[in-house]
Amino acid sequence: MTSLLATSDEPQAAFLRTLTERGFLNQCSDRAGLDAVLRRGVVSAYIGFDATADSLHVGHLMSIMTLRWLQQTGHKPIVLIGGGTTRIGDPSFRDSSRPMLDDGQIAANMAGIRKVFAKYLAFGDGPTDAMMVNNADWLDELRYLALLRDVGRHFTVNRMLSFDSVRQRLDREQPLTFLEFNYMILQAFDFVELGRRQGCVLQMGGADQWGNIVNGIELGRRMDGRDSSD
């Protein structure tokens, strides 16, 4: 999940302390800052899951338990189902493109995934109750030219090609479609949109998602004017 630099300082926030004790942590963009925010009050955090099948596999269990521990330590978990990004398919560390699913298949898969989370999280309208959102709610509304102008200008092809998920596919001379190449832009935009809609300040995920997570942090800073660098 999210790698922390080796340090003798133990986290004070119950959530970080619990994950550290269980060996869940791998990388974090700002450990001290996150620890402080978690101690100040309720934090909303999300993990995304694409609807490529009608259930989740054992590899998702660590992500599910991370959200469960987040809620049990007094914070608000957001389960993001990629109803929109599933139409593209995450190219991270894959040798080939995912099969294209139609809207009916995606809807059926989402219904199955919802049942899984009901066993681990308490959903409702309270401040620490879990919620489930679908990124198709905002991605379907995007006009392509507006996306290129407002979001795409914050990404350079040079940097996008540097991420392992892209570089390894190219190094192996295996095709990477332009559709898949856009996935990291859309996942970064998910973080920005959840911040606007739900006050979400923390994105978590597996080690293979680190590049996408960093993209989301950088995009948020650039779109609100805190970072003007390329």
Side-chain angles (χ1 to χ4, degrees), residues 18-69:
T18 299
L19 295 193
T20 301
E21 291 170 351
R22 285 161 174 75
F24 276 31
L25 295 176
N26 180 43
Q27 287 178 296
C28 183
S29 62
D30 182 359
R31 174 180 177 171
L34 177 58
D35 195 18
V37 169
L38 288 165
R39 286 184 282 122
R40 283 202 295 267
V42 176
V43 167
S44 295
Y46 92 94
I47 298 178
F49 303 84
D50 278 344
T52 53
D54 61 2
S55 186
L56 300 177
H57 54 72
V58 68
H60 289 113
L61 184 58
M62 185 176 290
S63 295
I64 295 171
M65 295 306 298
T66 298
L67 291 174
R68 180 178 172 87
W69 279 115

Side-chain angles (χ1 to χ4, degrees), residues 149-206:
R149 182 194 63 207
D150 298 336
V151 178
R153 67 188 178 91
H154 296 292
F155 292 79
T156 67
V157 173
N158 311 61
R159 181 158 171 74
M160 294 169 76
L161 290 174
S162 73
F163 287 106
D164 288 342
S165 58
V166 173
R167 192 179 65 248
Q168 288 185 10
R169 183 86 69 87
L170 298 180
D171 287 346
R172 295 169 183 166
E173 298 184 354
Q174 293 161 334
L176 177 73
T177 67
F178 181 70
L179 185 67
E180 293 174 286
F181 194 57
N182 280 270
Y183 187 94
M184 65 179 73
I185 296 177
L186 298 181
Q187 183 165 328
F189 186 68
D190 282 345
F191 191 27
V192 172
E193 197 65 20
L194 282 173
R196 291 172 176 169
R197 293 176 180 237
Q198 307 297 341
C200 182
V201 298
L202 174 62
Q203 178 181 183
M204 302 180 291

